[in-house]
Amino acid sequence: MRRAARCCLRSVAGGASALVLAVSPVAAAGHGWDKASDVGRNLLVVAALGVPAIQGDWTGDLQAGGSLLLAHGTAYGLKRIFPEERPDRSDRHSFPSGHSSVSFAAAATLENRYGWKAGLPALLVASFVGVSRIEANKHHWYDVVAGAAIGTGSGLLLTSKRTNGVRLIPFVDSRGGGFSFATRF
C-alpha cells in the first residue's frame, strides 16, 4: 500500500476516534446526533472513494461508487414502497435508514477491498452512524438494521479484494442462483 493510502486509512481511524469522543451524549443534545450521523456518513463516503483514488485503484473506485449507489438506491426505493413514519413524526420515510445503508456500504467496501485494518475503523463509524440515527429519533432500531444489511450486502456483492487470490462470484440462471469461489494458482 502506498504511503498516502496508509495515511488516509489512519485518518479514517483517527476520524472515527475523534468523532466518537467529540460527540458524547452531552454534546449531542438536540440536533447533535443528527449532525453527528451526517458527519460520520460523509467521512465514510470520502474514505470509500478517496482511498482507491489516492492509490490509483480506479477499479476499486468504481466498485465503491457502485456499492454506494446500489445501497442508496435500494434504501430510497424501499422508503417509497414502505412508507413508515419516523419516530419524530417528521415524515413517512423511516424504513430503511439511508444513512445506515450508505455508511455500511462504505465500510463493507473498505473491508472487502483493503482488509480489516481499513474495515474495522469504518465499521465502528458506520455503527456509530446507526446508533446516532436512533438517538436523533429519526429511525427505529429495525430501520437501522435493515439499512446496515442493505449496505453490507451491496458492499460485499460489488467489491472484490484488491489481491486477485480468491474471488466470490455471484451467478443467476433459469433454475436459481448462488455464489461460486474462484482462485488463481
Side-chain angles (χ1 to χ4, degrees):
M1 214 184 269
R2 291 183 182 159
R3 183 181 300 167
R6 273 185 258 153
C7 179
C8 190
L9 289 176
R10 282 191 207 116
S11 296
V12 170
S17 301
L19 180 66
V20 171
L21 291 174
V23 187
S24 68
V26 173
H31 294 290
W33 286 112
D34 196 23
K35 290 181 190 230
S37 66
D38 290 343
V39 170
R41 180 201 55 205
N42 295 344
L43 175 70
L44 286 168
V45 169
V46 167
L49 296 172
V51 169
I54 288 169
Q55 294 185 10
D57 178 13
W58 305 118
T59 300
D61 227 3
L62 286 172
Q63 291 174 357
S67 297
L68 294 169
L69 285 173
L70 179 62
H72 176 73
T74 301
Y76 181 84
L78 288 172
K79 285 177 180 289
R80 288 353 182 224
I81 295 170
F82 302 105
E84 170 92 20
E85 189 171 38
R86 291 185 188 271
D88 68 355
R89 303 189 189 288
S90 61
D91 61 35
R92 297 186 56 80
H93 300 291
S94 185
F95 182 83
S97 169
H99 278 71
S100 294
S101 67
V102 169
S103 297
F104 277 90
T109 295
L110 287 167
E111 192 283 326
N112 201 28
R113 187 86 177 150
Y114 301 106
W116 71 270
K117 288 181 181 179
L120 183 60
L123 181 61
L124 291 173
V125 175
S127 298
F128 177 79
V129 170
V131 169
S132 297
R133 299 307 288 166
I134 295 168
E135 290 295 324
N137 212 26
K138 293 293 184 181
H139 291 287
H140 304 282
W141 67 268
Y142 51 87
D143 301 332
V144 170
V145 169
I150 290 165
T152 301
S154 71
L156 294 177
L157 183 64
L158 296 182
T159 307
S160 63
K161 298 273 185 214
R162 176 84 188 249
T163 61
N164 294 328
V166 177
R167 291 186 184 241
L168 178 65
I169 303 167
F171 68 89
V172 177
D173 64 19
S174 62
R175 292 178 284 166
F179 294 94
S180 64
F181 289 95
T183 187
R184 271 191 197 175
F185 293 99

